[in-house]
Amino acid sequence: MNRSGLPVLILHTGDPNPSLTERFGGYADFMKAAAGLDDADVHVVPVFLGERPREARHYRAALITGSPANVTDRDAWGEETADWLCQAARDGLPMFGICYGHQLLAHALGGRVDYNPAGREIGTRQLELVADDPLLEGLPRAFPVQTMHEQTVVELPPGARVLARSAMDGCQLLRLAPHIVSTQFHPEFGVDFMREHLRQYAERYARENIDAGAVAGELRATPESAGLLRRFLQLYATDAALAA
């Protein structure tokens, strides 16, 4: 199927709280900026508000955002989106999921998601690559990433392969299919957003014995991970890639 000239679908699965969204934008905005896309390039579908995407043949790729929701909640919109993702995978649509999107893809393709036995992972953490992959070509074997999650992929879908891990999460970066990858970490998050999130949620994290001020003090830029979305689109969703 020739997908050249078609938009990139952003499956918008939720947003930060209103004050963070007002200051930094919503998660679809984060995704669009990190992928280097403008409004003319994308079709944003807020599935968490009940909207539904068109069939996969109408897009050249799909990006799935993070969300405050949990996959284990089995929200009707999440399960319907998982069904769409499963069909889109069969149709060969290139897809990239982040955090909730990473977990939802794994769930859709036959894996299992649950709370991370190691606890909540928050802040800048070191990513360790454990496999070679075209998406990771030229990157160092270890580099920093931004994390913000309490659920994780606890069982891989059939045929999936782990590409990278962190000390608290063994499934930080997955190759789910030749045209599908996903990250538990957030390549789209910057230090300023992370710092303000930690400030606003300091009391909540304190109840989990997490010192948000200390975590904020250890934040640093994550340029290696920030380029992954653009790299993915270059590999799988440019006119040249789609014609190959």
Side-chain angles (χ1 to χ4, degrees):
M1 179 185 299
N2 185 358
R3 302 180 188 271
S4 298
L6 297 176
V8 172
L9 170 66
I10 295 180
L11 288 169
H12 185 190
T13 64
D15 278 323
N17 70 43
S19 66
L20 287 168
T21 299
E22 181 178 3
R23 178 172 173 183
F24 296 98
Y27 287 147
D29 301 313
F30 282 49
M31 186 78 87
K32 183 171 64 175
L37 299 168
D38 60 33
D39 290 342
D41 295 323
V42 301
H43 180 207
V44 178
V45 178
V47 290
F48 74 110
L49 298 179
E51 295 191 23
R52 297 291 173 261
R54 303 173 73 185
E55 294 176 353
R57 62 187 174 86
H58 293 286
Y59 307 106
R60 61 188 170 99
L63 310 177
I64 307 99
T65 73
S67 175
N70 287 323
V71 168
T72 57
D73 293 338
R74 300 292 191 266
D75 293 316
W77 64 264
E79 293 299 289
E80 291 172 9
T81 304
D83 290 343
W84 188 94
L85 293 171
C86 189
Q87 182 59 54
R90 289 195 290 265
D91 292 342
L93 184 68
M95 294 189 284
F96 191 120
I98 293 175
C99 197
Y100 177 90
H102 157 86
Q103 297 166 10
L104 193 65
L105 273 169
H107 167 62
L109 299 177
R112 189 168 70 89
V113 175
D114 208 335
Y115 287 90
N116 188 348
R120 185 186 299 274
E121 188 174 32
I122 178 77
T124 306
R125 296 289 181 261
Q126 190 80 344
L127 190 76
E128 177 191 0
L129 304 187
V130 296
D132 294 327
D133 190 86
L135 185 70
L136 305 173
E137 186 174 344
L139 290 176
R141 301 305 293 182
F143 53 86
V145 298
Q146 310 295 3
T147 67
M148 187 187 292
H149 69 108
E150 59 179 345
Q151 293 201 334
T152 188
V153 178
V154 295
E155 291 181 12
L156 294 177
R161 188 164 59 104
V162 175
L163 301 181
R165 64 191 178 196
S166 67
M168 290 185 67
D169 196 314
C171 294
Q172 281 284 355
L173 175 55
L174 300 179
R175 168 69 65 180
L176 295 162
H179 53 289
I180 305 173
V181 296
S182 63
T183 65
Q184 182 58 71
F185 60 90
H186 287 273
E188 82 282 26
F189 282 1
V191 169
D192 289 345
F193 172 78
M194 292 287 295
R195 183 176 293 114
E196 181 60 16
H197 169 91
L198 285 160
R199 187 190 70 79
Q200 291 193 19
Y201 288 88
E203 290 186 9
R204 172 181 172 179
Y205 290 147
R207 293 193 292 270
E208 301 178 25
N209 297 315
I210 296 172
D211 185 338
V215 174
E218 295 173 352
L219 293 173
R220 53 186 169 134
T222 56
E224 294 88 357
S225 75
L228 289 176
L229 279 163
R230 293 180 188 232
R231 170 73 172 163
F232 173 81
L233 292 176
Q234 289 169 356
L235 284 172
Y236 303 108
T238 63
D239 287 347
L242 292 167

